[in-house]
């Protein structure tokens, strides 16, 4: 991947569950950061945990991203890249940067507690570094297998974070992280860095829960790719629910799939996901492009991004109200809403939709069969007789109701409401000036009971 093509970002979910709006925040921040500068978006499945990762979850994540409007330029799976990780870990072992340690979890725990009791930081004491070849052979003869730790340089690692500004972590205060387990499987840290190097990732944009991993990862970038070769980092605040609690991947209701099924608009999810917890007010947008134009990582706050799920419903309506015909043409066609009137229909009804699916009802009103409600049969018959001849445009409603008013003496609600009930079968709805030309003369006559 060429570095000349703008930023290269990645979204790296583990396919161990459905993604929720908080994950969508990370995905969208990455996507917008790349898209606005003509960059690339890599979807990386962190599926090395074979017991919990499934193809089905991976497919659902792809589907959710597509629904949000994100088309990855490249998709990779860590489970298919193990050979690369093995090669890199052998290199690190040969350079003495990855060393074997044999302590059991119980031993480590005991040592940690002893340190804490003495008021010392519970950092791994590197005892394994003092083992001789003979010690190791003895431990292995006892049936122990090593896990492998990365030997951190005890220095202060600094980076300029795209959200948090200048950050620094003193690596002397960290335990050498375990990168490879006893069974040879890899923990998240090493494959992540190897992939970021291999795929030419220029910007790592992720949740602030990963800040503590960053110093270790920067040292790994330096070990694997050379000094100064770490990508730029930006750690965004996490979406939390109204009570301040985090959103778990398993908390069904806010999964992208269930939001989609409940009729929430993708652009409403995107606006909430991107703008919450930033200096930009959450508001409806007509496209991801529009969202990208105002987007700036530097606008993200360092406070928690508190969000109210109810906002998604109201924002869905506001979004529908501003969507232009082109952006919904294909979705309307899925409901057989096609033809010369489709655009006029959309512009007439979009302001009255609670969710997109309501178009089906309104399409029936203009082009199908409904049960008219006749309050006053004589009045409706008189009105039917006054309908102008076609062709009709939006002026027809005014001309017609003026004629009905003159003939019957009715005005205001007494004039309009029975006409609405007869023509649409509903108490309320889009402006009749827009609907009437779509309903047409012959259907109107029938509904008015003439
Ligand atoms: N799989 C990791 C996660 O979902 C990726 C973290 C990262 O972006 O480096 O938290």
């Amino acid at each position: 991947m060429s570095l000349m093509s703008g930023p290269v970002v990645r979204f790296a979910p583990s396919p161990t569950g459905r993604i929720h709006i908080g994950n969508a925040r990370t995905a969208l921040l990455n996507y917008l950061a790349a898209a606005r500068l003509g960059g690339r978006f890599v979807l990386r499945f962190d599926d090395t945990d074979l017991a919990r990762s499934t193809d089905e979850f991976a497919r659902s994540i792809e589907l959710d991203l597509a629904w949000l409007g994100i088309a990855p330029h490249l998709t990779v799976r860590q489970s298919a890249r193990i050979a690369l990780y093995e090669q890199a870990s052998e290199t690190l072992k040969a350079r003495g940067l990855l060393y074997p340690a044999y302590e059991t979890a119980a031993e480590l725990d005991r040592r940690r507690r002893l340190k804490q009791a003495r008021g010392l930081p519970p950092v791994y004491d590197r005892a394994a570094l003092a083992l001789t070849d003979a010690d190791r052979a003895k431990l292995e003869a006892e049936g122990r297998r090593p896990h492998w730790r990365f030997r951190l340089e005890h220095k202060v690692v600094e980076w300029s974070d795209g959200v948090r500004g200048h950050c620094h972590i003193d690596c002397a205060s960290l335990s050498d992280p375990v990168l490879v387990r006893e069974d040879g499987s890899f923990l998240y840290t090493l494959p992540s860095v190897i992939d970021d190097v291999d795929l030419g990732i220029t910007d790592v944009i992720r949740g602030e829960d990963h800040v503590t991993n960053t110093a270790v990862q920067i040292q790994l970038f330096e070990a694997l790719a050379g000094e100064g070769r770490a990508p730029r980092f930006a750690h965004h605040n996490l979406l939390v629910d109204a009570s301040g609690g985090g959103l778990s991947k398993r908390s069904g209701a806010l999964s992208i799939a269930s939001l989609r099924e409940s009729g929430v608009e993708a652009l409403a999810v995107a606006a909430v996901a991107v703008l919450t917890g930033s200096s930009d007010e959450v508001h409806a947008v007509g496209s991801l492009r529009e969202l990208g134009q105002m987007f700036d990582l530097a606008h993200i706050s360092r406070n928690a991004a508190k969000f109210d799920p109810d906002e998604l419903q109201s924002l869905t309506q506001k979004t529908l109200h501003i969507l232009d015909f082109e952006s919904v043409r294909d979705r309307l066609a899925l409901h057989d809403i096609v033809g010369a009137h489709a655009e006029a229909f959309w512009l007439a009804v979009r302001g009255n939709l609670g969710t997109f699916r309501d178009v089906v009802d309104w399409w029936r009103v203009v082009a199908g069969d409904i049960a008219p409600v006749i309050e006053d049969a004589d009045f409706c018959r008189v009105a039917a007789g006054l309908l102008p001849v076609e062709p009709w445009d939006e002026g027809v409603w005014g001309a017609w109701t003026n004629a009905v008013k003159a003939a019957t003496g009715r005005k205001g609600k007494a004039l309009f409401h029975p006409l609405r009930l007869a023509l649409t079968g509903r108490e309320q709805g889009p402006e009749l000036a827009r609907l009437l030309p779509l309903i047409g003369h012959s259907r109107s006559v029938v509904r008015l009971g003439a």
Side-chain angles (χ1 to χ4, degrees):
M1 231 175 263
S2 158
L3 294 183
M4 302 306 288
S5 58
V8 185
V9 301
R10 87 297 195 272
F11 173 55
S14 298
T16 55
R18 287 259 146 100
I19 54 168
H20 56 58
I21 188 165
N23 307 115
R25 177 171 175 79
T26 308
L28 284 158
L29 292 176
N30 274 286
Y31 177 76
L32 295 178
R36 68 206 279 263
L37 297 172
R40 284 158 177 263
F41 177 97
V42 176
L43 171 59
R44 184 186 88 199
F45 285 118
D46 287 3
D47 59 350
T48 52
D49 181 349
L50 295 175
R52 291 174 53 232
S53 302
T54 70
D55 280 347
E56 200 189 327
F57 284 134
R59 270 195 305 274
S60 78
I61 291 170
E62 283 175 324
L63 187 86
D64 290 345
L65 292 180
W67 180 71
L68 287 166
I70 297 178
H73 293 87
L74 176 71
T75 300
V76 297
R77 287 169 177 258
Q78 289 196 322
S79 57
R81 299 165 61 81
I82 304 288
L84 202 65
Y85 313 146
E86 278 167 354
Q87 201 185 344
S89 66
E90 289 313 311
T91 308
L92 292 174
K93 285 177 192 173
R95 288 164 57 195
L97 290 172
L98 202 55
Y99 63 89
Y102 293 83
E103 295 91 346
T104 62
E107 282 164 359
L108 289 171
D109 194 45
R110 190 160 39 79
R111 279 196 222 162
R112 229 184 339 254
R113 274 192 273 125
L114 271 173
K115 288 210 165 179
Q116 272 167 332
R118 282 194 232 130
L120 298 169
V123 175
Y124 178 62
D125 58 12
R126 292 183 160 174
L129 275 179
L131 296 174
T132 63
D133 285 350
D135 294 333
R136 278 194 289 270
K138 188 161 167 267
L139 286 163
E140 299 212 7
E142 285 168 13
R144 296 216 195 189
R145 290 281 161 273
H147 51 269
W148 297 80
R149 288 186 185 264
F150 178 54
R151 184 173 181 163
L152 285 174
E153 224 181 295
H154 283 172
K155 64 176 184 183
V156 176
V157 168
E158 301 179 73
W159 75 94
S160 170
D161 194 284
V163 173
R164 300 163 69 86
H166 180 259
C167 294
H168 58 97
I169 292 181
D170 183 358
C171 291
S173 67
L174 304 178
S175 296
D176 288 343
V178 177
L179 299 187
V180 188
R181 298 189 189 88
E182 272 163 47
D183 64 2
S185 64
F186 296 95
L187 282 102
Y188 142 79
T189 310
L190 182 62
S192 181
V193 171
I194 293 170
D195 286 337
D196 288 343
V197 173
D198 186 57
L199 300 170
I201 302 300
T202 60
D203 293 80
V204 170
I205 302 168
R206 57 186 178 186
E208 63 189 9
D209 48 333
H210 284 287
V211 168
T212 49
N213 294 328
T214 302
V216 167
Q217 292 188 352
I218 287 175
Q219 286 211 19
L220 268 171
F221 276 108
E222 287 173 354
L224 292 165
E227 195 77 27
R229 294 297 304 279
R232 289 180 289 265
F233 286 91
H235 294 91
H236 63 78
N237 51 4
L238 302 180
L239 282 189
V240 292
D241 61 22
S243 62
L247 311 174
S248 148
K249 212 185 281 183
R250 281 160 284 277
S251 75
L254 292 169
S255 74
I256 299 303
S258 59
L259 292 174
R260 178 173 60 237
E261 278 150 26
S262 70
V264 170
E265 281 295 299
L267 282 170
V269 174
V272 168
V274 169
L275 299 175
T276 302
S278 80
S279 56
D280 301 307
E281 206 159 329
V282 178
H283 64 278
V285 292
S287 64
L288 277 189
R289 202 185 158 78
E290 187 187 330
L291 195 55
Q293 272 157 6
M294 74 190 70
F295 165 85
D296 192 332
L297 282 174
H299 292 180
I300 296 177
S301 152
R302 293 190 57 167
N303 300 325
K306 206 173 242 190
F307 108 101
D308 172 8
D310 289 345
E311 219 171 1
L312 288 165
Q313 312 300 333
S314 56
L315 207 60
T316 286
Q317 288 171 20
K318 290 182 190 141
T319 304
L320 290 166
H321 298 180
I322 61 171
L323 286 182
D324 61 20
F325 175 63
E326 276 318 309
S327 57
V328 295
R329 182 200 287 268
D330 295 346
R331 293 169 71 193
L332 291 171
L334 290 176
H335 296 288
D336 292 324
I337 300 173
V338 290
H341 296 315
E343 179 162 10
F345 166 76
W346 172 251
L347 296 178
V349 304
R350 63 180 180 176
N352 288 78
L353 304 176
T355 68
F356 185 81
R357 274 178 228 141
D358 296 344
V359 292
V360 174
D361 264 356
W362 289 115
W363 186 246
R364 198 174 312 118
V365 167
V366 304
D369 287 332
I370 55 145
V373 176
I374 304 292
E375 267 190 344
D376 178 337
D378 289 344
F379 170 73
C380 286
R381 247 190 312 274
V382 170
L386 293 168
L387 279 166
V389 288
E390 284 180 320
W392 284 358
D393 58 22
E394 286 196 7
V396 74
W397 171 253
W400 179 46
T401 50
N402 278 337
V404 178
K405 183 175 170 184
T408 63
R410 292 201 190 199
K411 54 184 182 181
K413 197 172 176 208
L415 170 65
F416 300 122
H417 196 60
L419 298 179
R420 176 178 287 282
L421 284 175
L423 291 170
T424 69
R426 285 154 175 77
E427 295 275 346
Q428 278 160 3
E431 276 174 60
L432 282 165
R434 290 176 157 221
L435 287 186
L436 186 61
L438 298 170
I439 294 170
H441 188 276
S442 56
R443 217 175 259 119
S444 300
V445 169
V446 173
R447 290 182 186 175
L448 289 161

